[in-house]
Amino acid sequence: MTLAIIDTSTANIASVRFALERLGADHVLAPTPADAAGAARLILPGVGAAGPAMARLESSAWADALRRETRPLLGLCLGMQLLFEHSDESDCAGLGLIPGRVVRLDPGADGPWPHMGWNTLETLREEPLMAGVAEGAHAYFVHGFHVPEGPHTTVRTRYGGPVTAIARRGHIAGCQFHPERSGSVGAQILRNFLETRP
Amino acid sequence: MLARRIIPCLDVKDGRVVKGVRFRDHEDVGDITGLAARYAAEGADELVFYDIAASPQARTVEPEWVSRVAREIDIPFCVAGGIRSVDDARARLFAGADKISVNSPALENPGLIDQLAREFGSQCVVVGIDSREIDGTWRVHRNTGDPDKTVSEARATLDWIKEAVERGAGEIVLNCMDQDGVREGYDIAQLAEARVVCPVPLIASGGAGAREHFADVFAHARVDGALAASVFHKGVIAIPDLKTWLSGQGVEIRP
C-alpha cells in the first residue's frame, strides 16, 4: 500500500523517508497532487516557517487538493500546524482543515524557547495513532509555535501550559512532535498510521 | 514535563570515532554508524557528531556518512565541523541531520548564524562554543580540533552567547575546555553564568566522569542537556544505568 510524502522542498523529508524505510513502507515523493494519484495515504512533513511552506502548497496545487482530500492525511510538526486555519508565525492562512489557530508558545517557567526535546504524551480522547503507545511515553518536539489545546486535541503535552501533541478531525491528523525521530514510540505511531483503514 | 537530555558526542576524524584528552592524543574508539546505533538503542536522547579535523584543515563533513547515520538511527542528531556556508548546511540537513552546529566559522563570520537561521529556522542552528578561562574571564577559542592551530579569541564567552542567540542560534553547546576529557565534573560555575544569559536550550559539554556530575549540572546549572564522550565510549557509564539513577534522583528523564 503506497504512501505519498507531500514534497514541500523542506529539509526533513530525508528523516521521514528513512523512518518509512525502516518500517518497510513503500512510499513516493509527491511534489504535485498528480504524483500521489496511486497512494492510499499522505504525509505532510515540514520544517521551517509557515509562510514559505504555505506558498509552496498553494503554488503546487496541493493546498486546493488537500481541502478536498478524503485519504488519511498525517501532518508532522510544521505540517501539522499547516492543517489549521491560521498561523501567527508568518501571520498567514493555513489549510483550514482543522479549526484552530497556531500561536507563539510561551514556556513560562518550564524552560527556554523554543520547546526542544523529549516530552510526555497524555491521551485525552480516543486516538488511533496511540495504539500500543504507553501513557506518558516521550516524543521528540522541536517548535516555537503551537496549537493551544482545543476540541480537536486528542493527545497533549505540557510546556508552559497544555500544548497540542496530536490533533485529529476525522481522517486528518497531525503530530506536533517528530515521530520519525522519536525512537520506538515514534515508530509505533507511524506504524499505526500505515495501518489506518482508508 | 520536558526531559533533560543525555547526549553522547562522537568526535569524528578520518571517518572514525576518536577521543582525545584535552583535545590531544586522539585514540580510535569505533565505527560511526555502529556506535550511533548502539547509543540510540541504549537510550541516548540525541547524538552529536563533530568532525574535529574539519575546521583546521578547511574541510567539510561528508554528507555520505550523515545519510548513513540518518538511515540507521531514530533519534535526533546534530552534525558539526567545517560548516562554512548555507550550502554546506543544506547538504547535511538534506542528508538527514536534524541540526547543524557551527563553531569556528561563526567566529570568523558571525553573519553566518543569521543566514542559517533565516534559511532553515533557528531550531536547526546550534552554535558550539569552546571556552576556557584566561585572566579571570571566560574566553572563546577557535580551531580547537588541532592544538597547533587553536586560537584564543578576544571575545568573552558570555558576550558571544548573547550575540549568537540574537543572531538566531536555537541552541548553545558550551564546551568548557579545561574540563574536557578529564572526567572531573562539568564546569558548573561557567555553565550557571551561561544559563543566565542564554534564553535558548543550553547543553553542557566537557568534564563528565561520574553519574553525580550529570545530576549536579542539571540541578545547579539548569542546563537542558548534558553531552559526554569518553565515559560512554569507554563504558565507564552505561546510559541505561545513568538514566535510571538520574530518574531516582528526581531528574526528569526519558526512560
Side-chain angles (χ1 to χ4, degrees):
Chain A
M1 189 101 55
T2 306
L3 173 148
I5 300 174
I6 298 172
D7 187 359
T8 52
S9 312
T10 53
N12 79 347
I13 282 184
S15 306
V16 175
R17 295 191 71 176
F18 294 153
L20 293 170
E21 281 175 20
R22 287 193 295 272
L23 294 170
D26 189 21
H27 61 275
V28 295
L29 285 190
T32 70
D35 300 308
R41 41 182 70 79
L42 306 170
I43 286 184
L44 177 61
V47 291
M54 269 311 292
R56 279 194 293 270
L57 288 174
E58 295 288 357
S59 66
S60 63
W62 261 120
D64 278 344
L66 287 174
R67 291 181 184 116
R68 296 189 306 268
E69 189 56 64
T70 56
R71 291 172 285 186
L73 168 65
L74 179 64
L76 302 181
C77 197
L78 175 66
M80 173 264 208
Q81 296 185 356
L82 296 176
L83 302 175
F84 289 84
E85 292 167 302
H86 185 273
S87 175
D88 284 359
E89 185 182 15
S90 311
D91 192 23
C92 68
L95 292 165
L97 305 179
I98 305 179
R101 196 179 171 96
V102 180
V103 301
R104 191 180 160 95
L105 180 61
D106 177 8
D110 279 356
W113 187 93
H115 180 208
M116 186 188 288
W118 296 82
N119 210 333
T120 46
L121 301 177
E122 184 187 344
T123 305
L124 302 176
R125 301 184 177 82
E126 166 71 17
E127 174 48 67
L129 292 173
M130 291 293 281
V133 176
E135 194 60 20
H138 287 78
Y140 187 73
F141 291 81
V142 183
H143 61 117
F145 286 76
H146 81 121
V147 179
E149 187 181 323
H152 297 284
T153 303
T154 57
V155 178
R156 76 175 169 202
T157 190
R158 284 185 177 277
Y159 197 63
V163 168
T164 300
I166 300 181
R168 174 176 294 279
R169 187 187 192 194
H171 63 289
I172 296 162
C175 299
Q176 178 61 74
F177 53 91
H178 286 278
E180 74 278 16
R181 279 286 178 253
S182 292
S184 57
V185 168
Q188 181 62 42
I189 288 168
L190 287 175
R191 206 176 287 121
N192 290 339
F193 177 65
L194 294 169
E195 289 167 5
T196 315
R197 291 278 145 252
Chain B
M1 238 169 96
L2 187 64
R4 306 287 176 174
R5 287 177 264 159
I6 302 296
I7 309 171
C9 177
L10 290 79
D11 285 351
V12 175
K13 195 174 190 179
D14 302 324
R16 301 281 296 175
V17 179
V18 297
K19 184 59 195 169
V21 174
R22 291 186 199 257
F23 289 68
R24 286 189 179 273
D25 306 322
H26 298 113
E27 62 181 275
D28 188 300
V29 294
D31 159 70
I32 299 176
T33 47
L35 265 178
R38 192 189 102 199
Y39 288 137
E42 287 179 354
D45 296 306
E46 190 170 327
L47 298 174
V48 173
F49 297 89
Y50 183 33
D51 190 340
I52 53 171
S55 269
Q57 295 170 21
R59 282 193 333 199
T60 55
V61 288
E62 308 137 34
E64 189 276 328
W65 67 255
V66 176
S67 165
R68 273 195 290 132
V69 169
R71 275 173 205 277
E72 189 76 29
I73 66 168
D74 56 9
I75 58 169
F77 71 99
C78 176
V79 173
I83 296 166
R84 295 177 174 277
S85 67
V86 167
D87 286 342
D88 290 340
R90 184 181 291 111
R92 281 119 193 107
L93 293 169
F94 274 62
D98 298 278
K99 307 177 197 176
I100 47 93
S101 178
V102 288
N103 187 325
S104 303
L107 290 165
E108 288 152 21
N109 169 25
L112 179 61
I113 302 170
D114 306 68
Q115 288 178 313
L116 293 170
R118 228 176 5 248
E119 187 72 20
F120 306 111
S122 290
Q123 80 287 342
C124 309
V125 181
V126 180
V127 172
I129 301 174
D130 292 313
S131 174
R132 154 179 289 167
E133 188 178 323
I134 295 176
D135 300 332
T137 304
W138 293 300
R139 293 203 183 274
V140 177
H141 287 64
R142 138 170 94 86
N143 288 344
T144 50
D146 182 342
D148 298 331
K149 293 179 180 156
T150 298
V151 182
S152 302
E153 290 269 321
R155 284 188 181 88
T157 302
L158 299 179
D159 292 342
W160 178 232
I161 291 173
K162 286 185 241 176
E163 179 176 345
V165 171
E166 275 163 23
R167 288 179 178 277
E171 182 165 274
I172 300 289
V173 175
L174 182 58
N175 184 51
C176 305
M177 296 168 71
D178 290 318
Q179 274 70 26
D180 188 70
V182 297
R183 300 193 209 159
E184 288 168 358
Y186 291 97
D187 188 338
I188 304 287
Q190 184 172 183
L191 288 158
E193 289 288 321
R195 174 78 284 175
V196 173
V197 300
C198 181
V200 299
L202 175 66
I203 309 299
S205 167
R211 58 192 192 181
E212 289 78 8
H213 297 155
F214 291 86
D216 285 348
V217 79
F218 290 134
H220 303 302
R222 295 182 297 115
V223 295
D224 299 281
L227 186 146
S230 64
V231 286
F232 296 141
H233 301 331
K234 296 188 173 174
V236 176
I237 297 177
I239 295 171
D241 297 345
L242 172 64
K243 292 185 102 176
T244 304
W245 183 80
L246 284 172
S247 191
Q249 297 294 303
V251 179
E252 187 69 20
I253 282 291
R254 176 180 73 112

